[in-house]
Amino acid sequence: MSLTGRTRTTAGALLLVTLLAATACDSTSSTADGASKSPTPAPSTTLSAQTPPPASPDSATPTPPAQHGQLLKMVVSGGFAGLHNELVVKADGSYTSTRRDGRTTSGRLSPDALAKLREALKDADFAHLPPRPTGRPIADALMYQFTYEGHVVLTDDIHQSPALRDVRANLPVGYR
């Protein structure tokens, strides 16, 4: 094969690889309503590999409320250490925390703390929060998946709204 033939073959192969890569990476294309989709994270040892994915940003109906009087579920995952902790707060204020290593602790929020948490959850307006982070992905960031009244919201440390920070501020120590 001549040098020109090799050059064309190499250029063709590079073009094909580039087109395939561009197609695979095009997760920020516009939707029908002009909004931009967030990239879907690749499976890893963080939230996406250890818990079910949150509701699709394109779905119009929220996921059904959790069983057994659950008020809020929050999963914290990721970070440099590969954290994975879950907190479930029930409507009566009792809560269970499960760590990555399987250790479980339980407790109960005081009536005043439960009232403040309920107010923070109401003020956060989960039905209108973006279901995924809206900014650039942050390497090794902690990810927070909130499930409240059938709505699932995934956010990170950097792009977390003040309303969600207020929710966290009213959670048991270790999840604030």
Side-chain angles (χ1 to χ4, degrees):
M1 181 182 293
S2 70
L3 184 58
T4 306
R6 246 189 240 143
T7 304
R8 284 185 189 153
T9 303
T10 303
L14 286 173
L15 179 61
L16 179 62
V17 169
T18 303
L19 288 173
L20 289 173
T23 302
C25 294
D26 186 23
S27 61
T28 59
S29 62
S30 294
T31 59
D33 64 358
S36 174
K37 287 185 182 179
S38 298
T40 302
S44 66
T45 59
T46 60
L47 182 67
S48 60
Q50 297 175 356
T51 61
S56 166
D58 299 327
S59 67
T61 57
T63 57
Q67 304 277 329
H68 310 295
Q70 178 179 303
L71 177 63
L72 172 72
K73 178 178 180 180
M74 186 175 77
V75 178
V76 182
S77 65
F80 183 71
L83 188 70
H84 184 87
N85 299 332
E86 294 183 19
L87 173 69
V88 175
V89 180
K90 292 189 176 182
D92 66 0
S94 62
Y95 64 86
T96 303
S97 169
T98 306
R99 304 282 178 187
R100 184 173 87 174
D101 64 5
R103 285 186 303 154
T104 301
T105 57
S106 298
R108 182 175 297 277
L109 295 172
S110 70
D112 184 49
L114 180 59
K116 287 179 181 178
L117 175 59
R118 285 182 185 277
E119 187 66 27
L121 288 165
K122 181 181 156 227
D123 290 346
D125 192 16
F126 275 73
H128 294 98
L129 289 174
R132 294 219 174 258
T134 56
R136 289 184 67 110
I138 307 298
D140 295 324
L142 288 177
M143 300 300 294
Y144 299 85
Q145 179 180 336
F146 296 87
T147 305
Y148 173 68
E149 290 188 344
H151 298 281
V152 179
V153 174
L154 179 67
T155 187
D156 59 34
D157 275 332
I158 306 302
H159 302 103
Q160 198 167 102
S161 71
L164 289 177
R165 289 185 194 281
D166 191 37
V167 168
R168 283 186 45 220
N170 287 287
L171 293 175
V173 174
Y175 284 90
R176 295 181 180 170

